[in-house]
Amino acid sequence: MVIRSVAVLGAGTMGAQIAAHFANAGIPALLLDVSLDAAKQGLARARTLKPDPFFAPDTWTLIRVGSFDDDLKRIGDADWIIEAVVEQLDIKRLLLEKVDRARRAGSIVSSNTSGIPIAALAEGRSDDFRQHWLGTHFFNPPRYLHLLEVIPTPETKPDVVKDVAHVADHQLGKGVVTAKDSPNFIGNHIGLYGFMRILATVASGACTIEEVDAMTGPALGRPKSATFRTMDIAGLDVLGHVIGNLRERLSAGSAAPGTGSDVWTLPPFVKGMLERGMTGEKAGQGFYKREKTAGGESTILTLDPATLTYRARQQPRLGSLDAAASIANVRERVRTLFGGADAVGRFLRETLAPTLVYTAAVAPSIAHSPDDVDRVMRWGFGWEIGPFELIDAIGIEPVVTAARDADPALQIPPLLEAALTSGRKALRDGGLPPAGSGLEILRAAKDRTAVVRKNAGASLVDLGDGVLCVEFHSKMNVVGADTIEMLEAGVREAARNFAALVVGNEAPNFSAGANLMLLLLEAQEENWEDIDAMVRAFQQANMALRYADVPVIVAPAGLTLGGGCEILLHADRVQAAAESYIGLVEVGVGLIPAGGGTKEMVARAAESMNPGDTDFLPPIQRAFETVALANVSSSAPDARRLGYLRPIDAFTMNRERLLADAKARALQRIGEGYHPPPRRMAIPVGGDAVLAALKLGIHLAWRAGRISEYDVLIGRALATVMAGGTLPHPSTVTEQELLDLEREAFLRLAGERKTQERIQHMLKMGKALRN
């Protein structure tokens, strides 16, 4: 099934963002609310949200708005209708009764409810409605959180579930998990149980809010927002509603044995927060509060649960966290922290262990497999490893022992009892498998066949069907000598023994750019010949990609910056993840792109000119501004707007399908009869006329106070390269001449003290210095 149009009922925070994500997928959306103004306001709010729910500035134009009273009849044109109004059973039922009359037979209808029983919402509806009805629980924000929980009822047609899962996976890029119609489904049920355990510990005075967030963030392989910052974003009022729903529904006897209902009772301090309206970020105060100091600076205060007043933030003093930070493997790090004799170990044994045992107890009633539970927590909550993976990492016996000590009422579920009885230390023999065919094919390839070649920075992996892959695996996949060596080796190996080459990986980020630390050390030692050799080698590797005897498909995802962007600029084709943040950002550290990036932007600008056009300035100025401002795309479609991707390049919505799509693109290029492109021996450039215009723009920006004097120096160096050098009139240059120009400018800038200060600041602070 292909979804050509969708209707979203409810223009609140979730409804508007769901409509936005369908628009991201190129699917027109009708967004309705109680009035036309309410729908317009919902769409307008969505356009101001950060992070942006839209891929590109004009994506919102695919959304039309209307009211329930005047426009509900228009849902008859929609292939999929999604209800996303307020979480009240009676209001949803009343609206769905009207939907039943207005919809087209065979159209899919679903609810985004986070906890109301899906079957109960469809009571009284027509047979065709109920057969095409299910829950589709998007996680907030829908664009960025990978998970979609799909909840069918016994009456839902199997083909409807299959169709929705396929569309969500391929068109929306979602990780789909089919959940049972149980209280709050999978993710919220398990996540909130863990949160309630943590609240009880905080209420006892055993830990501060800052300490909890330090212990439950990246140390456990979870997002930086950890526990209480996440709850401030979600809203404590929402939490209270969901907890109330869980308590009510689980009291009917569906709770895990031995847990009791008291675990779902909010501590007095949280009830006090709700009574005082301290509901989180939207109220301006929750577990944290942002205030302005007398000097006008912003400061963050922390809640004291005992008094419900705010105090200055306290830096947690938890030595084991600092010590464990050096353990890169998340499984080993969690196991080490869990077994510690300090406050961190005690906290994890008192909160995490019961949560893991509870998860094992309720899993059969809420999910179809432990794998699904792990995927839900990974995709919906940003965990690096899910609950059952955590049990395996720590060990079944230590988890069970700690859970019994923390809560003697907890009964050990059969799954864990059976494993203990059989002497097993873990539930799985291996890791969490890919969720389906065509997903994470690089991991599957490495499990299936030996790596062709490997060094510290990258590997060559056989993807099958005559396609070789260059996989980066350095820290943040920075480009260094090892990466360059393997790129060149990949081109040679593919030409000898394969039919195509893919450059990509399954890490969160394709590449954060060049190895700045190495560059800084060499510059401080004034090893200019070594730096020149490094830059030449990178240029040659990228040129080898461009003119390879086999098609080269580059598959970026996440951060694709600096040198990472230069690699994709030299591909025959790019198959990008939708969530690709691509940019030539070298100016931010006082340099210009010199791995062929500046050359490629000049060549593309020239190629964009109409035949017979002699005005070089407009396309070069656009390219210059993109590089000089270090513009980074907000998505793959936005990268097209910036010129990093071409119309012939494509993108993949589901990150886990990226390399499968890149491989398919490579095979397609083979079938099309790929031949290397001709060498560019005459690239049109504007010379002094274009250079003068670019320098004038730089001067005006400096006069307006928008850039510093050193920015002027960098801008002029970039402008000289993009004009083709100091040529008295428009002319043509070769690729090698542009490569030489950009390399020489790079070397000059690398020797400047202020450039080295910018590099040092970026390495230390993670952001650009404007000196």
Side-chain angles (χ1 to χ4, degrees):
M1 181 180 185
V2 176
I3 296 295
R4 296 179 179 83
S5 64
V6 64
V8 180
L9 311 182
T13 300
M14 283 301 292
Q17 289 191 83
I18 291 169
H21 197 54
F22 275 93
N24 288 335
I27 300 171
L30 173 65
L31 181 63
L32 303 182
D33 210 305
V34 290
S35 67
L36 179 60
D37 283 345
K40 287 180 177 179
Q41 290 168 12
L43 178 57
R45 279 194 305 272
R47 294 179 62 193
T48 65
L49 290 175
K50 297 298 177 186
D52 196 336
F54 294 100
F55 277 173
D58 61 350
T59 305
W60 69 272
T61 58
L62 282 174
I63 301 175
R64 299 162 297 147
V65 294
S67 69
F68 294 147
D69 288 341
D70 296 333
D71 300 290
L72 197 63
K73 58 182 177 293
R74 293 163 64 187
I75 69 173
D77 298 326
D79 298 317
W80 185 354
I81 303 156
I82 301 174
E83 173 276 308
V85 298
V86 65
E87 285 286 278
Q88 293 185 25
L89 178 62
D90 55 343
I91 292 176
K92 289 179 182 288
R93 277 180 169 170
L94 184 62
L95 177 60
L96 292 173
E97 182 180 353
K98 297 176 182 178
V99 168
D100 198 359
R101 294 195 295 266
R103 64 182 280 271
R104 183 182 73 249
S107 62
I108 294 169
V109 190
S110 69
S111 175
N112 185 57
T113 179
S114 60
I116 296 176
I118 301 301
L121 287 169
E123 288 178 4
R125 304 281 58 80
S126 66
D127 289 346
D128 186 79
F129 182 105
R130 295 197 309 275
Q131 290 166 2
H132 294 84
W133 165 254
L134 70 170
T136 50
H137 182 212
F138 291 82
F139 277 61
N140 190 21
R143 170 184 167 182
Y144 298 95
L145 287 182
H146 189 50
L147 177 65
L148 178 69
E149 289 179 320
V150 171
I151 310 100
T153 73
E155 295 180 88
T156 309
K157 286 184 174 181
D159 282 350
V160 170
V161 180
K162 188 185 301 181
D163 287 343
V164 167
H166 181 85
V167 168
D169 175 353
H170 292 265
Q171 290 185 257
L172 300 180
K174 291 297 176 186
V176 179
V177 171
T178 303
K180 297 181 179 180
D181 193 2
S182 63
N184 293 88
F185 317 129
I186 301 172
N188 282 342
H189 189 158
I190 293 168
L192 288 173
Y193 181 89
F195 181 62
M196 295 302 289
R197 285 285 179 182
I198 289 170
L199 280 182
T201 302
V202 171
S204 73
C207 299
T208 67
I209 284 171
E210 296 99 330
E211 287 172 340
V212 168
D213 276 353
M215 292 185 286
T216 59
L220 291 188
R222 298 181 187 178
K224 291 181 180 179
S225 55
T227 298
F228 290 110
R229 174 67 183 134
T230 298
M231 279 302 149
D232 273 353
I233 295 170
L236 196 57
D237 52 338
V238 175
L239 168 74
H241 174 79
V242 175
I243 291 294
N245 178 65
L246 270 168
R247 184 171 59 250
E248 179 182 342
R249 294 184 63 191
L250 290 175
S251 64
S254 58
T259 58
S261 61
D262 58 331
V263 75
W264 300 112
T265 300
L266 291 169
F269 87 89
V270 178
K271 294 178 180 177
M273 291 175 68
L274 288 170
E275 291 167 0
R276 300 183 189 196
M278 301 159 69
T279 55
E281 195 171 76
K282 59 190 171 187
Q285 56 181 2
F287 295 103
Y288 294 103
K289 180 180 181 180
R290 189 182 297 273
E291 275 192 353
K292 291 283 187 182
T293 64
E297 295 182 356
S298 180
T299 184
I300 296 176
L301 306 177
T302 306
L303 180 75
D304 178 356
T307 62
L308 292 187
T309 59
Y310 292 90
R311 54 163 176 75
R313 295 180 73 180
Q314 299 171 356
Q315 184 65 30
R317 297 181 178 179
L318 301 166
S320 62
L321 288 184
D322 298 330
S326 63
I327 304 175
N329 185 289
V330 64
R331 290 166 173 80
E332 182 183 345
R333 186 168 66 245
V334 172
R335 182 167 59 250
T336 300
L337 291 170
F338 186 91
D342 64 338
V344 178
R346 288 193 297 274
F347 170 81
L348 294 178
R349 291 190 292 274
E350 290 173 4
T351 59
L352 180 60
T355 300
L356 298 179
V357 170
Y358 180 78
T359 299
V362 299
S365 64
I366 65 176
H368 293 284
S369 73
D371 289 355
D372 283 346
V373 174
D374 281 346
R375 292 186 186 110
V376 163
M377 302 312 291
R378 279 170 166 255
W379 294 343
F381 290 79
W383 292 16
E384 287 185 44
I385 52 176
F388 290 99
E389 292 175 288
L390 281 167
I391 292 172
D392 285 352
I394 298 166
I396 299 172
E397 186 172 0
V399 167
V400 168
T401 300
R404 281 174 169 152
D405 291 342
D407 186 354
L410 268 177
Q411 294 184 9
I412 308 307
L415 177 66
L416 299 183
E417 283 282 16
L420 285 173
T421 302
S422 64
R424 293 175 62 88
K425 295 182 179 180
L427 297 170
R428 291 191 186 98
D429 294 327
L432 180 66
S437 61
L439 299 170
E440 299 180 288
I441 67 165
L442 181 61
R443 177 155 67 101
K446 288 189 290 186
D447 290 341
R448 182 179 65 249
T449 62
V451 171
V452 176
R453 185 173 170 184
K454 181 177 183 179
N455 65 23
S459 298
L460 303 183
V461 182
D462 183 356
L463 294 181
D465 300 313
V467 179
L468 181 68
C469 179
V470 179
E471 176 197 16
F472 303 161
H473 45 64
S474 59
K475 185 175 182 181
M476 292 294 289
N477 290 328
V478 295
V479 178
D482 289 337
T483 313
I484 294 169
E485 175 193 340
M486 207 54 65
L487 283 171
E488 293 182 319
V491 172
R492 292 192 301 269
E493 179 68 24
R496 283 195 301 263
N497 299 312
F498 291 83
L501 180 67
V502 167
V503 182
N505 55 68
E506 290 174 344
N509 299 305
F510 176 75
S511 174
N515 188 333
L516 288 178
M517 178 62 76
L518 177 61
L519 173 62
L520 179 62
L521 292 174
E522 296 287 2
Q524 289 174 336
E525 293 294 326
E526 299 185 356
N527 293 330
W528 307 121
E529 290 184 3
D530 290 345
I531 295 175
D532 181 70
M534 283 192 299
V535 177
R536 284 178 187 271
F538 189 36
Q539 290 179 338
Q540 290 165 4
N542 284 333
M543 291 293 280
L545 293 175
R546 175 169 173 79
Y547 296 110
D549 291 333
V550 298
V552 175
I553 313 298
V554 175
L559 295 179
T560 306
L561 305 177
C565 179
E566 290 180 293
I567 290 169
L568 76 82
L569 289 174
H570 290 82
D572 173 59
R573 296 289 188 272
V574 175
Q575 185 73 37
E579 297 297 344
S580 292
Y581 315 118
I582 302 169
L584 294 170
V585 296
E586 287 84 350
V587 167
V589 289
L591 299 166
I592 72 165
T598 305
K599 174 267 300 180
E600 198 61 28
M601 294 300 279
V602 173
R604 290 187 179 194
E607 289 165 358
S608 72
M609 296 172 62
N610 295 320
D613 194 347
T614 58
D615 188 359
F616 295 97
L617 184 59
I620 282 292
Q621 187 163 7
R622 286 193 295 272
F624 173 80
E625 290 174 356
T626 296
V627 180
L629 297 174
N631 284 333
V632 176
S633 72
S634 61
S635 65
D638 193 47
R640 280 206 186 113
R641 179 183 65 86
L642 294 172
Y644 298 132
L645 297 183
R646 303 156 295 182
I648 58 174
D649 296 322
F651 67 92
T652 297
M653 290 293 285
N654 189 336
R655 171 68 176 88
E656 295 191 358
R657 290 197 178 277
L658 177 62
L659 289 186
D661 287 352
K663 176 183 173 182
R665 197 78 187 280
L667 295 172
Q668 178 187 7
R669 292 293 288 144
I670 296 166
E672 292 169 351
Y674 167 83
H675 291 284
R679 299 263 174 179
R680 295 178 179 130
M681 302 306 295
I683 300 171
V685 291
D688 283 349
V690 165
L691 180 57
L694 294 178
K695 284 184 174 180
L696 176 60
I698 294 167
H699 177 73
L700 293 175
W702 173 73
R703 287 284 298 272
R706 297 199 301 270
I707 62 175
S708 70
E709 287 189 13
Y710 194 61
D711 291 325
V712 172
L713 178 71
I714 301 165
R716 286 175 175 171
L718 176 64
T720 301
V721 178
M722 299 194 81
T726 53
L727 302 173
H729 50 73
S731 183
T732 61
V733 295
T734 66
E735 283 186 286
Q736 189 57 53
E737 286 172 325
L738 285 175
L739 289 171
D740 291 342
L741 285 171
E742 69 177 24
R743 188 180 67 256
E744 290 161 7
F746 182 94
L747 287 166
R748 285 196 304 273
L749 291 169
E752 295 281 349
R753 177 179 57 83
K754 288 190 175 181
T755 285
Q756 294 176 21
E757 289 174 353
R758 288 189 176 197
I759 295 174
Q760 282 181 311
H761 192 269
M762 178 63 72
L763 290 169
K764 184 177 180 180
M765 307 300 295
K767 56 185 179 182
L769 170 68
R770 301 302 296 273
N771 55 355

